[in-house]
């Protein structure tokens, strides 16, 4: 039977200062377009001001990296100067609900930053999200159902409107202190596959040669590895393979790595988890690893090497998230090494 969850869709790097993060990602060799942020007037007749969450992406053919931050009153000066403000426009009867949802998202981001600055979002990709929702429900996984949002597609796309369908997984117990749509390690869920016609209109040619999101690394306390293994085997409807002390869930062209905290220093030398559980790293494939290394050195980005021969930028130099660069081929989906 084909799987209803097939790839990594995106990871989300939650940061304190989006302007600082955008500059860092450009030095890392990613193309990061101007961010967007909802806006609304603080008083009648006033100009719209940033409100809620601001974000931008580094895009690949079938995945992306998200940079996001929460925006509070008075934070406009901390956003990149080219931030695109998107005024909230909705019928009067709908606007309060829209504001409530955006405020909820903002509160979740703020709670993430209270834990640590770094990776807090892990989204898988599905060619059949309604079937995935039914399967998860039957397996006893709590989630908020499939949500649908629409936004303007990038210029040059096949369609003027991009439709995004997604579900967010809730913690197993409603009284664990986690917000709806989150599990202990952050916001985890499933998103319908990206539309190739729309995604191809985004900027996909990165100076570092990055071609796709290859792996996300989730670090857990040693004693929690078995329970986390069970959770993700249920989420993804597959079993992992063993690699040293890590458990690897192989997806199409990507993987999720579960690693006990005691083994993290052997996999990513010098790294320590900011909390447990935590998404501690993500891996991108690049066309030419020496070219990526040279770019990082030219931009004074510190680089280490993993025992497997990958390069990585330590979390302390990358706003709380270790960023791994792995040799790959081509521009499309890649086979996990």
């Amino acid at each position: 039977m084909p799987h209803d969850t097939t790839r990594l869709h995106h990871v989300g790097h939650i940061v304190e200062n989006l302007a600082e993060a955008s500059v860092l990602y450009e030095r890392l060799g990613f193309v990061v377009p101007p961010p967007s942020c909802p806006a609304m007037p603080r008083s009648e007749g006033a100009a719209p001001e940033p409100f809620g969450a601001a974000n931008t992406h580094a895009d690949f053919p079938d995945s992306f990296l998200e940079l996001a931050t929460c925006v509070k009153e008075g934070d406009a000066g901390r956003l990149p100067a080219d931030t695109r403000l998107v005024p909230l426009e909705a019928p009067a009867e709908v606007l309060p609900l829209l504001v409530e949802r955006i405020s909820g998202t903002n509160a979740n981001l703020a709670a993430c930053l209270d834990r640590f600055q770094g990776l807090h979002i892990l989204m898988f990709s599905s060619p059949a999200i309604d079937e995935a929702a039914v399967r998860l429900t039957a397996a006893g996984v709590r989630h908020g159902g499939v949500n649908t949002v629409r936004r303007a597609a990038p210029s040059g796309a096949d369609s003027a409107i991009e439709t995004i369908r997604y579900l967010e997984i809730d913690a197993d117990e409603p009284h664990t202190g986690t917000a709806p749509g989150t599990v202990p390690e952050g916001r985890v869920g499933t998103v319908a596959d990206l539309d190739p016609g729309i995604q191809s209109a985004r900027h996909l040619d990165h100076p570092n040669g990055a071609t796709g999101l290859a792996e996300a690394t989730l670090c857990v306390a040693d004693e929690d590895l078995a329970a986390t293994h069970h959770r993700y085997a249920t989420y993804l409807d597959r079993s992992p393979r063993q690699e040293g002390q890590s458990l690897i869930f192989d997806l199409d062209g990507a993987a999720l790595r579960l690693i006990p905290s005691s083994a993290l220093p052997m996999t990513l030398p010098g790294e320590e988890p900011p909390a447990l559980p935590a998404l501690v790293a993500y891996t991108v494939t690049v066309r030419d690893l020496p070219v990526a290394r040279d770019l990082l050195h030219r931009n004074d980005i510190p680089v280490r090497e993993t025992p497997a021969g990958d390069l990585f930028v330590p979390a302390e130099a990358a706003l709380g998230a270790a960023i791994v660069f792995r040799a790959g081929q081509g521009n499309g989906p890649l086979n996990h090494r």
Side-chain angles (χ1 to χ4, degrees):
M1 291 289 292
H3 286 288
D4 56 44
T5 304
T6 54
R7 293 195 297 270
L8 290 176
H9 189 278
H10 71 276
V11 293
H13 190 169
I14 311 304
V15 297
E16 296 279 359
N17 187 307
L18 193 55
E20 176 188 5
S22 296
V23 170
L24 169 67
Y25 268 67
E26 289 172 357
R27 292 175 59 221
L28 289 166
F30 296 108
V31 173
V32 180
S36 61
C37 182
M40 64 182 300
R42 298 288 178 181
S43 59
E44 186 174 353
E49 295 182 28
F51 163 76
N55 76 335
T56 184
H57 297 169
D59 285 290
F60 311 118
D62 57 21
S63 58
F64 62 85
L65 309 173
E66 180 182 16
L67 283 175
T69 193
C70 54
V71 180
K72 306 181 185 70
E73 187 171 358
D75 277 355
R78 297 174 61 247
L79 293 175
D82 55 0
T83 298
R84 182 173 64 91
L85 298 183
V86 182
L88 295 181
E89 296 178 357
E93 66 274 14
V94 175
L95 189 58
L97 178 60
L98 182 59
V99 171
E100 180 182 351
R101 286 181 176 175
I102 293 173
S103 298
T105 299
N106 208 34
N108 283 348
L109 292 182
C112 290
L113 287 172
D114 284 343
R115 282 192 80 207
F116 60 88
Q117 177 174 236
L119 298 176
H120 292 277
I121 298 173
L122 173 62
M123 290 289 170
F124 300 96
S125 193
S126 173
I129 193 167
D130 293 303
E131 287 87 341
V134 170
R135 176 183 61 79
L136 290 169
T137 298
V141 176
R142 300 174 68 248
H143 61 85
V146 178
N147 299 286
T148 301
V149 296
R150 293 178 175 84
R151 65 185 182 193
S155 59
D158 294 344
S159 171
I161 299 296
E162 181 175 18
T163 300
I164 302 162
R165 306 189 70 228
Y166 68 96
L167 65 83
E168 297 173 316
I169 294 172
D170 294 331
D172 291 337
E173 298 294 334
H175 302 298
T176 59
T178 54
T182 62
V183 293
E185 57 270 20
R187 182 178 172 224
V188 175
T190 302
V191 189
D193 286 349
L194 290 163
D195 183 316
I198 292 177
Q199 193 65 3
S200 64
R202 295 188 162 98
H203 195 116
L204 306 176
D205 188 15
H206 301 279
N208 60 18
T211 56
L213 181 58
E215 188 171 283
T217 300
L218 173 58
C219 184
V220 301
D222 288 43
E223 62 271 21
D224 292 335
L225 184 63
T228 308
H229 163 196
H230 175 74
R231 275 202 291 128
Y232 277 88
T234 305
Y235 297 166
L236 300 173
D237 194 26
R238 68 191 75 203
S239 298
R241 59 182 170 86
Q242 188 95 27
E243 185 181 280
Q245 295 184 62
S246 297
L247 297 174
I248 311 293
F249 287 92
D250 287 313
L251 304 167
D252 293 351
L256 170 67
R257 178 185 297 268
L258 296 186
I259 186 166
S261 57
S262 63
L264 183 61
M266 283 79 81
T267 303
L268 293 172
E271 292 298 293
E272 295 182 2
L276 289 173
L279 294 159
V280 294
Y282 67 80
T283 301
V284 293
T285 46
V286 295
R287 295 186 188 93
D288 189 316
L289 200 57
V291 167
R293 183 199 296 268
D294 289 346
L295 181 145
L296 295 169
H297 283 170
R298 288 197 309 272
N299 291 336
D300 295 322
I301 301 289
V303 176
R304 297 176 186 161
E305 188 167 324
T306 72
D310 298 329
L311 304 178
F312 76 97
V313 178
E316 64 183 6
L319 302 177
I323 301 172
V324 184
F325 296 84
R326 174 175 295 164
Q329 296 177 348
N331 297 307
L334 299 160
N335 291 325
H336 176 66
R337 192 177 72 173

